[in-house]
Structure formats: C-alpha cells, structure tokens
Amino acid sequence: MAGAAHCSLQAKRLLLDPKFEGYKLSLEPLACYQLGLDAAVAEVQLRDDQYTLDHMRAFGMYNYLHLDSWYQDNVYYVDQFGRVMNLSVTLDTALQKPREVFRLPTDLTACDNRLCASMHFSSSTWVTLSDGTGRLYLIKSGKRGSSASEKWEIVFNEELGSPFILAHSVSFVKSDAHSLAVLVLRVEKDELDTKGSGFHVTLEWLTIAERKEGDHRYEIVKRRILQGKSVPHYAAIEPSGDGLMIVSHKPFTYMQSESDKLEENDDAKVSNEKKDPLYYWQQTQDDVTITVHLPQDITKDDIKIRFSPDNIWVTLKDQPPLMEGKLYSSVDHESCTWIIREDKSLEISLIKKNEGCQWPELIIGDTRGEFIMDPSQCSEIAESLMHLTSEVMNPNPEKENPPCNAQELEECDAFLEDGASLCRFDGDTLKVTHIINLGSNQYLFSVVVNPREMPCFCLRHDVDALLWQPHSDQPENMWEHIATFNALGYVQASKQDKKFMACAPDYSYAALCECLRRVFIYRQPTPLATVLYNRKEGRQVGQVAKQLVATLESTDPILGFQATSERLFVLTTKTLFLIKVNSGN
C-alpha cells in the first residue's frame, strides 16, 4: 500500500436529515403478482468441502436473479435445463411467461464441482455469461427486452480453468478496437494456509479484445490475478477498463507472474544506478516548492516551463523534458512562478487549488524526485498523535468516565468487520493508488444507478445508510455521496434473518428480504395529503416515511431479489413475484 493516497468519504450535509423521526408502519396493501416457472431455478447447493464463511458469502448467498440496468424492468435467471430465461415487464396486469433467450451448450449436471451459472450485462448489446463449470461466454445480444430484436449469439467462449462466478464486466473501445474487461471470482484451496480457513479468494481480471485481422474474432490479451483472504463485498472495473475498485474486509494483492517479477527486478537495478534525485520538493497547506540543481552552462533563456491546471512541463535547452506529467492535484496555474536562485538552482512554486490537501506524490507515477518534509511539519504531526500514546500501560484504570464502555454498545452496533477498506487498483501496474479505511462504516449493498457508471455502494454511517457513486474520471470527486436512506443502517441491523438488500435507482425506497417469505420496504419521506400532529411536541408534521411489509405466498427460499424504480422482483425456486412499489409516471 506504499505510495497509495489515503482518502476519506465526504458526506454531503444537505443530504442528511438530523430531524428524521423514524418509519411509520403502513398497512396499505401492495399489489403483488406471481408467475409460476416452467422449470425450477438452477440452484447449486454448497458441497461438504465448501464449508467456510467465504463459500457461503460467494455462493450460498448468491443472487440468482439478474437485473438488466440498460433496459427498464428487465430481469433474467437460469433454469435447471441451462436456459437463460427473461421477463420484461411493461404492464403488471398483462404479464407474459418468462421466455427463453439462450441455452447453455454444456450439460450442467455433468460437472461435479460446478458453481451456479452467472451473468453480467456489459453494455446495451453485450453480455458475459458463465456456466459455472469454468467456461466463459461473450455474447452479442442485440437490443434486449424485446423479442423482435433480441438474439443472443456466442462471439467468444473459452475454458478458463477451475469454476468461477462473474463479479463484473465492462465494454469499451480502446485504440480503435472493441474490448471487454471481465472480473471472475474463485474460492480456492490454499495449501500454505495452515492457521486460517485453508482457502483464499482470487479475482482474475481478463481483457478480451477484437483481433486486428478484422475477422471480428475475439481473444484474451491480458490476464491478471489478485488474491485475498475474504470474499469482496464489492468489486467493479472502471468504465474505461483502466482501474479496479474493491471493498473487502481483508486486502487484495496482485500476484505477479515470473516474467513480471524479472522485469521489475531489471527496473529496480536501473533505478538503483540513478542514485541522486532529479529534483526535490516540499509542500505546505497552500503551495508546493520544487528545487532543481542546474548544470553550469544553463542560462535563463535555456529554461522552458509550461503550467496548466493539472500538468507541468519543464525542459532545459534542447534536452528531453526534465519534468513532465500530471500533477497529483490541481493548481492555480496562473499564479505559479519560477526563479533561478544564487546557488544556481531552479525554484518552481505551485499554488494548490485545494488548500490543506497533502500530496503523497508530485507527478503521478514519477519516482525521480525526493520529498523533503519540513521539521515543523514533523513536529506538528508528532504533536497531533501525542494524545494517542502514553509511556505508561493503562495509565488511569480507575477513571470515572472511561472514553469507551463496550457494555453501552447495542448489539446492532457491533460489527464483525472493523477492518474493511476500499481500494483502487491501477490497471497497468496493479498497485493500489487510493485507499479508504471504512472502519465501522458497514457495507450494506450495491446498486446500478447509471449503467454507464460504476455500480454505487451503500455504507452505514452512524444510523443512516449513505449511497456512494464512484467517478473514476474525477480524481477530485472520486466517490460522491448521492443519496441517504434515513435510519436504514440501524433498522437493517435488527433484521437478523435478512438475505438481500436493494434500493430503487431513483432512491425512492430501499428494501430487504429475509430468507423466507417476508419483504420489508422503506420509502423516503413524502409530504402528507392530510394534517398530522405530533402530540408530544404539539407541532404539525409535514412529511412521513413509511415502512411496508409484504408476505409472499410461498414456502420456498428466496433465491433472487432486485429493485427497479417501480417494482421489486423476488425469485424463489419455482415462482417469480412482482411487488408494485411505485406507480409509473
């Protein structure tokens, strides 16, 4: 994690409601429609050798219902005959039976160690599909959700080794060639792990590109493997294919191939030969100062420097650029200056646009410079950490009011995973560029708000649940707080039997379901049509947030759960339920 920028999530105060009074149980009936399935869902039970918590999280709690975010109210599942079945809803009162759009070529029952089939919608016309036996399919689907134009056609399929499930995929164009980046997840036996569970989790990141011969065939051009000791809560590739974000309890690291290690060793030897830094830099809260020692024959006319809000370019005489590249953060380029000092050194002053932001590096990816910390900064940091240390072990055990009393914590405040973190990996180096320690911000669920962006993730902040949208193309606003579900963090903690959580892409409600039958819906506060008074405080209440409960007419376990702006889709072994939550505009 060395060199990674340590960031934090900044909640928007305007999206928080400190006066939220809680949810009122509403008895209003919810329209619930059900469709019997021609064949049962292709559920795969955990085997005896899949006994760890990671196996349960990855495969036992798998969501068998797949929402196509590119088309409204369009869901898919795989049945026991290997058929990919689709339900596209336009009118609740005129529901059609789920229809077959594709059939897996392999016999699923023939593989003893298979996992559940999985799919992901990479774009409006591309689908990635795994049969659970270790084979990956790239499918060109045409425009989905319409029987007239939807035709699933295999463009690429290849055996990738041991069985896996699909975690995420994106479709993009780079260097005039169409590519797909696919993330697959495995839980594998770890012979070296004698003290832990005996398993590790791998994320394999594949890039599959169209061949340059122009025959419209695709091939794997890049395979990278990251390894960790816990199933990630969230793992998604950036839309451009240039990076990867992971939320996990335990960190993931890039597993280098032998050729990569040899290249890195060669680079290390070369870098060791260049002992003296090319430049030195210091920073304060407001500015950055760069010092370059100039050769004797360089004059002021030989120096050319260009500043832009995000870049710097420095060259001496007709030599290659001395400094060139993207700055860690934006600067006020019109206020940046440079001078030649008496000791024949060049001094460049950059004015930070975001005051107070500490830069971990000057030019992104440039290791030729050396950062010099001011002694006063060292003492400030030491002083700010002083209160966390003591020379005496447990200096005041008899203190009347200890800073924390574990007995005062409620059960729902105790998190199993205090060490969770959010990491961004660079696509080229596979090194961590940004890291956020989530601490007690418990991960709740993810949702696709805009299919052209990365999936959002929802975290518990105190009692609320906050929704965050990653923006990989906005370094200054990489994680944006876009919505708040009041008190949902507290409410969900009391639901001991919850299996899935979701929310509407328009944030109008959040929902969770238990393993059997019950579905809880939490609407956002809405204005009241009638006058309501709070008797205790003697004031009028302007809006109210409602909790609704639906009970499914089925004793089969819930296998899939998806939310759209209007409906909830709930999948059991033999039935697909539709719960109308909001009426269409």
Side-chain angles (χ1 to χ4, degrees):
M1 304 292 176
H6 286 259
C7 309
S8 58
L9 298 172
Q10 302 296 327
K12 293 181 182 174
R13 292 175 68 94
L14 291 174
L15 294 180
L16 302 175
D17 182 6
K19 295 182 179 177
F20 181 72
E21 295 183 337
Y23 292 96
K24 306 288 185 282
L25 180 63
S26 172
L27 300 177
E28 67 180 77
L30 286 164
C32 184
Y33 307 90
Q34 64 184 73
L35 288 168
L37 309 183
D38 291 336
V41 175
E43 183 186 4
V44 179
Q45 301 286 349
L46 291 181
R47 303 187 304 272
D48 289 344
D49 60 346
Q50 296 174 317
Y51 51 81
T52 68
L53 183 59
D54 287 324
H55 285 103
M56 174 57 74
R57 280 187 168 155
F59 314 129
M61 300 286 281
Y62 186 74
N63 194 336
Y64 285 84
L65 190 60
H66 307 276
L67 178 67
D68 184 354
S69 301
W70 298 88
Y71 301 94
Q72 197 170 359
D73 292 286
N74 204 33
V75 292
Y76 294 80
Y77 66 92
V78 180
D79 72 13
Q80 62 186 11
F81 298 125
R83 300 181 301 173
V84 178
M85 307 296 286
N86 163 247
L87 177 69
S88 185
V89 181
T90 48
L91 198 63
D92 296 277
T93 51
L95 292 173
Q96 304 290 322
K97 278 267 190 187
R99 62 191 180 89
E100 179 184 340
V101 292
F102 183 74
R103 190 177 291 232
L104 288 164
T106 49
D107 178 14
L108 300 184
T109 55
C111 180
D112 291 336
N113 65 335
R114 73 183 176 101
L115 301 173
C116 45
S118 54
M119 71 181 84
H120 192 268
F121 303 97
S122 317
S123 77
S124 58
T125 54
W126 285 89
V127 183
T128 47
L129 182 64
S130 159
D131 61 7
T133 68
R135 185 168 286 275
L136 174 70
Y137 297 89
L138 291 193
I139 292 169
K140 199 167 186 180
S141 64
K143 187 181 175 185
R144 298 186 294 271
S146 159
S147 54
S149 58
E150 184 168 4
K151 189 174 181 233
W152 288 37
E153 189 181 323
I154 299 173
V155 176
F156 167 94
N157 83 94
E158 193 164 314
E159 190 75 38
L160 298 182
S162 57
F164 60 85
I165 59 169
L166 286 168
H168 192 244
S169 66
V170 292
S171 166
F172 56 92
V173 174
K174 192 166 277 189
S175 305
D176 295 328
H178 176 244
S179 301
L180 288 106
V182 185
L183 198 62
V184 308
L185 183 147
R186 297 181 178 95
V187 179
E188 299 178 321
K189 194 82 178 159
D190 189 341
E191 303 298 342
L192 301 173
D193 183 10
T194 54
K195 293 183 179 177
S197 67
F199 292 87
H200 63 235
V201 179
T202 62
L203 285 170
E204 186 172 7
W205 181 2
L206 303 133
T207 303
I208 303 164
E210 192 172 8
R211 286 164 41 147
K212 290 177 181 172
E213 283 79 0
D215 55 5
H216 300 295
R217 291 176 66 185
Y218 285 74
E219 62 184 356
I220 296 174
V221 295
K222 215 170 190 182
R223 292 180 80 156
R224 293 142 290 184
I225 291 178
L226 294 106
Q227 189 173 299
K229 293 298 289 181
S230 66
V231 168
H233 298 298
Y234 172 98
I237 303 165
E238 295 173 358
S240 61
D242 292 332
L244 171 70
M245 292 188 195
I246 298 175
V247 176
S248 62
H249 170 37
K250 292 178 182 172
F252 275 76
T253 51
Y254 173 45
M255 305 304 291
Q256 289 179 305
S257 63
E258 290 303 317
S259 59
D260 287 339
K261 285 178 183 174
L262 289 171
E263 279 179 29
E264 195 168 275
N265 288 338
D266 291 341
D267 291 342
K269 284 175 189 171
V270 171
S271 62
N272 285 339
E273 288 167 14
K274 301 175 187 173
K275 289 182 181 173
D276 292 331
L278 213 54
Y279 57 87
Y280 299 88
W281 65 287
Q282 293 178 284
Q283 65 176 319
T284 66
Q285 298 286 326
D286 311 311
D287 57 43
V288 174
T289 304
I290 308 163
T291 304
V292 181
H293 294 297
L294 298 172
Q296 289 296 323
D297 59 336
I298 296 293
T299 65
K300 188 175 181 181
D301 296 332
D302 296 327
I303 301 169
K304 291 186 174 61
I305 299 179
R306 285 207 304 265
F307 301 111
S308 75
D310 299 303
N311 292 270
I312 187 170
W313 184 82
V314 180
T315 187
L316 307 178
K317 268 190 176 175
D318 299 323
Q319 299 171 12
L322 182 76
M323 296 170 66
E324 181 182 29
K326 188 174 182 181
L327 295 165
Y328 175 76
S329 188
S330 298
V331 295
D332 181 358
H333 65 290
E334 293 179 353
S335 303
C336 296
T337 59
W338 62 275
I339 58 167
I340 298 177
R341 302 191 68 85
E342 293 173 3
D343 60 352
K344 200 67 176 161
S345 66
L346 170 66
E347 186 174 289
I348 303 169
S349 296
L350 307 177
I351 308 302
K352 294 180 180 179
K353 215 168 202 175
N354 301 314
E355 295 178 7
C357 173
Q358 289 294 313
W359 293 14
E361 57 183 338
L362 178 65
I363 298 170
I364 294 174
D366 188 348
T367 56
R368 298 173 301 165
E370 183 178 310
F371 175 61
I372 300 170
M373 188 175 281
D374 188 86
S376 63
Q377 287 177 322
C378 291
S379 59
E380 274 179 34
I381 292 170
E383 199 173 310
S384 67
L385 298 175
M386 190 71 76
H387 71 286
L388 300 175
T389 63
S390 172
E391 293 178 6
V392 185
M393 186 71 77
N394 194 12
N396 193 358
E398 303 301 324
K399 190 174 177 184
E400 280 185 25
N401 297 310
C404 176
N405 183 352
Q407 293 177 339
E408 291 178 4
L409 292 174
E410 294 190 38
E411 188 182 345
C412 63
D413 291 319
F415 297 125
L416 193 63
E417 304 182 331
D418 286 337
S421 61
L422 165 61
C423 296
R424 181 198 176 268
F425 291 82
D426 179 78
D428 292 324
T429 64
L430 265 293
K431 289 181 178 172
V432 178
T433 60
H434 299 74
I435 183 168
I436 297 175
N437 179 16
L438 298 178
S440 60
N441 298 132
Q442 180 192 11
Y443 175 89
L444 300 177
F445 62 89
S446 66
V447 61
V448 176
V449 169
N450 177 355
R452 287 179 176 80
E453 295 250 26
M454 295 180 76
C456 302
F457 53 86
C458 190
L459 303 176
R460 179 176 174 178
H461 285 247
D462 196 17
V463 297
D464 295 333
L466 273 55
L467 198 62
W468 299 89
Q469 173 68 70
H471 298 294
S472 56
D473 56 343
Q474 299 177 30
E476 303 297 330
N477 186 31
M478 197 168 274
W479 296 281
E480 183 188 3
H481 174 202
I482 57 171
T484 301
F485 296 101
N486 298 298
L488 185 67
Y490 185 81
V491 168
Q492 62 81 32
S494 67
K495 301 288 185 282
Q496 296 294 318
D497 294 328
K498 69 174 179 294
K499 186 170 185 181
F500 300 118
M501 285 186 75
C503 76
D506 62 0
Y507 332 129
S508 57
Y509 69 91
L512 62 89
C513 71
E514 295 183 339
C515 298
L516 289 168
R517 302 190 71 183
R518 288 205 297 178
V519 176
F520 299 88
I521 299 161
Y522 301 92
R523 290 191 197 275
Q524 292 280 30
T526 50
L528 290 166
T530 56
V531 177
L532 185 68
Y533 280 93
N534 182 322
R535 290 180 184 173
K536 284 184 181 176
E537 298 179 17
R539 60 179 178 80
Q540 187 173 332
V541 177
Q543 55 182 16
V544 69
K546 293 180 181 177
Q547 173 193 338
L548 300 99
V549 183
T551 304
L552 307 178
E553 293 180 10
S554 171
T555 53
D556 294 327
I558 292 174
L559 299 178
F561 190 68
Q562 296 289 355
T564 67
S565 297
E566 287 186 34
R567 302 171 183 85
L568 270 172
F569 293 86
V570 188
L571 182 70
T572 66
T573 314
K574 304 188 191 82
T575 314
L576 181 57
F577 292 89
L578 282 75
I579 302 171
K580 185 81 167 177
V581 182
N582 294 323
S583 55
N585 296 329

